[in-house]
Amino acid sequence: MNAVGYSMTRLRSGRLLAAVLLLALASAGCAAHLAYRQGKEAAAERDWDLAVARYTRALDKDRDNIGYQIALETARVQASRMHYDEAKKHLAADDLDKAAAELEIASRYDPANRSASDDLVIVSQRIETREQEKRERAGLDQLKARAQSAARVPVAVLSPRSPVPITMRFEDGSLQKIFESLGRIAGVNVLFDEGFRDKKASVNLTGVTFEEALDRLTFVNRLFYKVVDQNTLIIVPESRQKRVAYDELLLRTFYVQNAEVNDTVNLVKTLAKITTVGPNPSLGAITVLGTVDQIAMAERIIEGNDKARGEVVVEVQILELNRTKIREWGIDISNYSAAATLSPTGAKDEVAGGLLNIRAYLLSSLNQADWVVTLPSTILAKFTESNNLARVLASPRLRAAEGKKAELKIGEEVPIPVTTFGAGSAAGGLGSYIPATSFTYKNVGVNLSLTPRVAASGDITLEFAAEFSIIGGNQNVGSVKDPLFVPTFLTRNVTGVLRLRDGEAALIGGLVQSNETVDAAGVLGVGSIPILGKLFGTHKRQFKDSEVVISMTPRVVRAPKLVERDFTPLRVGTQEVPRVEGARPPLFGTESEAPAVGALPAAPSGTAPVARPAPAPTAVRPPAAPPSPAVPAETPPGASPEAAPLLPPEAAITAPAAAAAADARPVTALFSPPEVALRVGEAGGLALVLVGAKDVQSIEVTLAWDPALAEVTDVAAGSLLTLDGSPVSAERALEVGRARVRFSRAVGATGSGAVVAVTMKGLKAGSGSVVVESLAVGRGGSTERPAPPAPSRLVVAP
C-alpha cells in the first residue's frame, strides 16, 4: 500500500471513531436528559425518593451539569424532610423500629439535618434499652436455673467422709450404744435429746452407708436426727413438738409469671400444708416460710401451675343473607276502562270536567251518531317472578388470652329514654309527681363475645355469645293524650360452647327471620270465582328472608408448655413426716463446701437436758495395704462378741486423726433449755451449750440467779468436755445467788455440746432468770470471750 492509500485509510478510521464518539455522547446526553425529566415529574408529584433516584442517574450520565447537581441537592433535602416527618409520626405511635429506619434514611439524604441525626441517637438508645429489657425477661428462666443449680440449701452438713459401706449386727443391744458405735465408725459425735429413751434393739445391716444406716435406725425406732455442725448430730424422738423445736425454717420468694397469685397461694397452703404464705399480687410474688421439704413441695407446685396462658386468634366471619322473592301474575283489569261520551259537534273542549256544553236547538236532533265509545285496545297479562340475594360480610380478627373474654361490637348506640317519677314539693300539692327522664344507650348491630380455653393437647374450647339486633318501629307507651314513643328492637341471640382443633372452622347458622306479603286486586265479585278470579285480576306475593351465618376459625398463638417433669410424680414422704427426695444436700458435704454450723435448738421447757457420753471422733482412711479379713469393732457392753459390728477392711477404725479445718465463725453460747421449770423442793437441770467450738481446753463461767427462788446444788463439766474420757480438772466456788466454775483439760475439745451442767433446787414459788455474768473460753494459749447467752427464765411452782 502506498503512502496516499495509507493516509486515506487513517482518515476514514478517524472519522468513524469521531462519529462513534459523537453518537455515544449524544446517547448519554439523551439518557441524562430523560432521567432529569423523569426526576422533575417525580418531584412535581412530591415523590422525593424517586426524584432523588432519577436525578442521581442523570448526574451519573452528565457529571458536569450544574443544573442536575442543584436539582439533586434540592431533592435530597426534600426527601430528608419527608422521612423526618414520617419518623415523627411513628414516634407518636411509639413504633421505634420504623421511626429509627425513617431517621436513618433522613440522615443519609441530608447529613446537615441535625434534628434527624440527634433524634436517631435518642431512638437508638431507647431501642437498645427495650431490647435489653426483653433479653432480661427472656433470660429469667436461665437466671432461675443458674440460681437453683448454684444455690446450696442452707442447712448444716457433716464434714466430708469416705462413703465406704459398713456392716453392723446387734442382737438385743442397747439402742444408744448402737448409735454411738455407728458414730464411731463415721467419726461423728452423736448427741441425744433429753427425751431420748434407751431400749433394746436388734440390727442387721450389710453393705450400707452411714447415712442409710442412720435413716433406717431412726425410722424403725420413730426417731429423727439433726446435724448440729460438721462433726456432730443429735438423735431426737419423733413428735410434732420436737419437729417444731428442731426443724429449721427457710424463707423463699417465688415470682409467678402467669398463674393467679391468690389461686397459687391456696394450692400451696392446701397441698404443701404451709400456713405461712405471703402473697404480693402487684409484684406477682409469693413468699413462703417453711421447712426444707415444704419449700421443695411449694416449688414443685408453683412450677407445675405457673404455665404461660394460652392465647388464640379467632377469625370471625359474620354473613347476613337477605333473600327477596317476588311473584306477580294475572290480568290487571283495574288498569283498563270502557266509556261512552256524547259529542254532537266533535268540537275541542266540548266536554270539560265531565260536563257537556251544547246548544239547546241541538237537543232535538240527537241520535247514535253523536256518541263516542272508548274501549281498551289491548289486554296485558302479568306472569313475572324475580329473586334478589343481598350479602353483607364482616370479617374481624379477635385475639384473646386463656379464660379472658374478648368482645366485638359493630353497630350504633341508640338512646332509650327512661322516665322516673319523684314525689312533688309542697307547692305542687299532695299526690303530685315530677317526671325525670334519662337516657340509656343500647348497641344495635352485631355484639359478639368469646372466651377461649386452650388445652395442653392443642384443643381450643370457645364459649361464645352472639347477638344481632336491628331497630324496629316506634311504640307508644304513653296515653292517647300524652303519647310517648320509644324505639323497639328486633334481636336474635345465640350462645354455646365449641371444642375445635387449631385451624378448624365452625359454621353456625339458622338465625332466620322471615316476612311474607300477599297483594291481590281485581273486579269486584270476580275475584271470588275460582278460575276467573285467579285470571282476571293481579296477584303479588313477596317473600323476605334474613339469615345470619357465623364462621369461627381459632388459631393457637401460644399454648401451655409442658415438660416431662410435669408428668413425673414426686415422692414427698409420709402423711406425718413430709420428706422430699433430693431437697436436702447429702449428709456428708463435699470438699468444696464450707462446713455449715447450725444452732443447737433448745429442749422443750420444763425439762432438763440429759448429757450422754459419746465416743471420741475418729477419722476413717482407706488402708494402704491390700485388703484383709473383716475386723470386728469394739464390742459394746451387754453384747456378745458375735454381735459386734463387723467392719469391712476399708472401714477399719484407725487412731484418732486431726480434726476438720478450723471454722472461722465465732463460738456461740446458749442455755438449754431456755426456761427452767421447777417445783418447790424438787431439783432440775440447766446446761450451758457451746456451738462451733474448736480446741477448747478450758472454760470459765460466772452464773447469777435469785437466791430466794432456787439454790445450786451441783455444777459439773458437760458432755463436750467429757465425751472422749479425757481427765477434766474443776474449780468451783458456790455462793448465795452466784457460782464461779472453771473446767480445764489437757487436750482441746472440738464440736458442739454442753460444757457446764447445773443442778438447781426450787426454794420458793416465783419467777426470775439465770444469767451469765462472765464467760471465757481458753484454747491454744489464747482466751476467747464469746457473747453471753440470753438469760434462761427460772420458774418455780408451788
Side-chain angles (χ1 to χ4, degrees), residues 342-345 356 358 361-371:
L342 181 62
S343 180
T345 63
L356 176 63
I358 187 173
Y361 73 91
L362 296 177
L363 294 176
S364 60
S365 61
L366 294 177
N367 54 31
Q368 294 181 353
D370 296 325
W371 292 87

Side-chain angles (χ1 to χ4, degrees), residues 55-314:
Y55 287 148
T56 302
R57 182 178 179 183
L59 189 61
D60 289 340
K61 299 295 183 181
D62 189 0
R63 294 190 175 274
D64 296 331
N65 194 317
I66 301 300
Y68 294 172
Q69 295 179 3
I70 295 175
L72 178 59
E73 292 299 326
T74 303
R76 284 180 176 274
V77 172
Q78 294 297 332
S80 178
R81 292 178 181 177
M82 179 189 70
H83 285 283
Y84 183 66
D85 293 339
E86 290 295 325
K88 290 193 293 185
K89 293 179 182 179
H90 291 307
L91 283 176
D94 201 23
D95 193 343
L96 300 181
D97 296 327
K98 292 183 179 180
E102 294 291 342
L103 290 172
E104 185 175 1
I105 295 174
S107 301
R108 291 182 179 179
Y109 274 142
D110 186 11
N113 191 348
R114 301 303 303 171
S115 298
S117 302
D118 296 341
D119 289 350
L120 178 59
V121 174
I122 296 173
V123 173
S124 300
Q125 292 176 353
R126 291 177 60 184
I127 292 176
E128 179 62 28
T129 302
R130 183 194 64 185
E131 295 300 325
Q132 179 65 25
E133 293 176 354
K134 287 184 178 180
R135 288 193 294 269
E136 291 177 357
R137 290 194 297 267
L140 182 61
D141 294 338
Q142 290 82 355
L143 179 63
K144 184 189 300 185
R146 289 197 303 269
Q148 291 177 351
S149 60
R152 176 177 174 267
V153 179
V155 295
V157 295
L158 298 174
S159 295
R161 301 288 194 275
S162 176
V164 294
I166 61 176
T167 298
M168 294 184 65
R169 288 196 300 268
F170 280 88
E171 294 292 339
D172 293 332
S174 169
L175 183 60
Q176 176 183 337
K177 295 300 182 182
I178 293 175
F179 280 114
E180 291 174 352
S181 300
L182 189 63
R184 182 183 297 108
I185 294 174
V188 177
N189 300 326
V190 179
L191 303 180
F192 297 87
D193 179 76
E194 54 85 23
F196 176 82
R197 296 294 180 264
D198 193 11
K199 65 178 182 178
K200 297 294 183 178
S202 299
V203 178
N204 188 359
L205 299 175
T206 303
V208 296
T209 63
F210 172 78
E211 184 174 1
E212 292 172 346
L214 189 63
D215 288 337
R216 295 178 186 180
L217 285 174
T218 53
F219 177 77
V220 170
N221 295 281
R222 292 193 58 79
L223 304 170
F224 70 94
Y225 62 89
K226 173 182 172 57
V227 178
V228 179
D229 58 23
Q230 67 270 25
N231 294 316
T232 309
L233 58 83
I234 186 170
I235 307 298
V236 187
E238 182 66 74
S239 68
R240 181 174 180 81
Q241 182 181 7
K242 293 294 185 180
R243 284 286 183 178
V244 172
Y246 281 94
D247 281 347
E248 296 181 356
L249 298 180
L250 301 181
L251 183 69
R252 182 173 175 184
T253 300
F254 299 92
Y255 294 92
V256 180
Q257 302 297 318
N258 305 285
E260 294 291 341
V261 173
N262 294 327
D263 296 342
T264 309
V265 167
N266 294 333
L267 283 175
V268 171
K269 288 183 177 180
T270 303
L271 300 179
K273 299 180 181 180
I274 305 176
T275 57
T276 310
V277 183
N280 186 355
S282 60
L283 187 60
I286 300 175
T287 302
V288 180
L289 178 64
T291 63
V292 176
D293 303 288
Q294 289 177 331
I295 294 294
M297 286 190 289
E299 179 181 8
R300 183 66 176 270
I301 293 171
I302 294 175
E303 286 183 356
N305 292 274
D306 186 22
K307 301 297 183 181
R309 286 180 177 271
E311 290 189 49
V312 299
V313 171
V314 183

Side-chain angles (χ1 to χ4, degrees), residues 459-526:
D459 288 351
I460 304 168
T461 302
L462 288 179
E463 299 179 9
F464 70 94
E467 177 184 305
F468 306 91
S469 58
I470 59 175
I471 301 177
N474 292 332
Q475 184 176 356
N476 183 14
V477 296
S479 62
V480 177
K481 183 179 179 180
D482 297 322
L484 177 60
F485 294 95
V486 295
T488 60
F489 304 95
L490 301 177
T491 304
R492 286 166 286 176
N493 296 290
V494 60
T495 60
V497 179
L498 296 175
R499 187 177 179 91
L500 306 171
R501 299 290 296 177
D502 185 13
E504 181 181 357
L507 192 65
I508 301 174
L511 302 177
V512 181
Q513 185 177 16
S514 300
N515 185 14
E516 182 178 356
T517 304
V518 179
D519 296 330
V523 180
L524 180 63
V526 179

Side-chain angles (χ1 to χ4, degrees), residues 303-340:
E303 286 183 356
N305 292 274
D306 186 22
K307 301 297 183 181
R309 286 180 177 271
E311 290 189 49
V312 299
V313 171
V314 183
E315 299 176 356
V316 182
Q317 288 186 343
I318 303 173
L319 301 90
E320 185 173 2
L321 307 179
N322 296 321
R323 292 184 293 270
T324 303
K325 188 176 183 180
I326 302 175
R327 292 181 180 180
E328 295 186 57
W329 71 92
I331 300 175
D332 193 356
I333 299 179
S334 62
N335 293 333
Y336 308 99
S337 61

Side-chain angles (χ1 to χ4, degrees), residues 555-577:
R555 302 188 184 278
V556 177
V557 178
R558 180 184 293 113
K561 184 179 180 181
L562 302 181
V563 296
E564 185 178 356
R565 175 184 172 91
D566 297 324
F567 299 95
T568 305
L570 178 68
R571 295 183 60 181
V572 294
T574 63
Q575 291 279 355
E576 182 180 2
V577 183

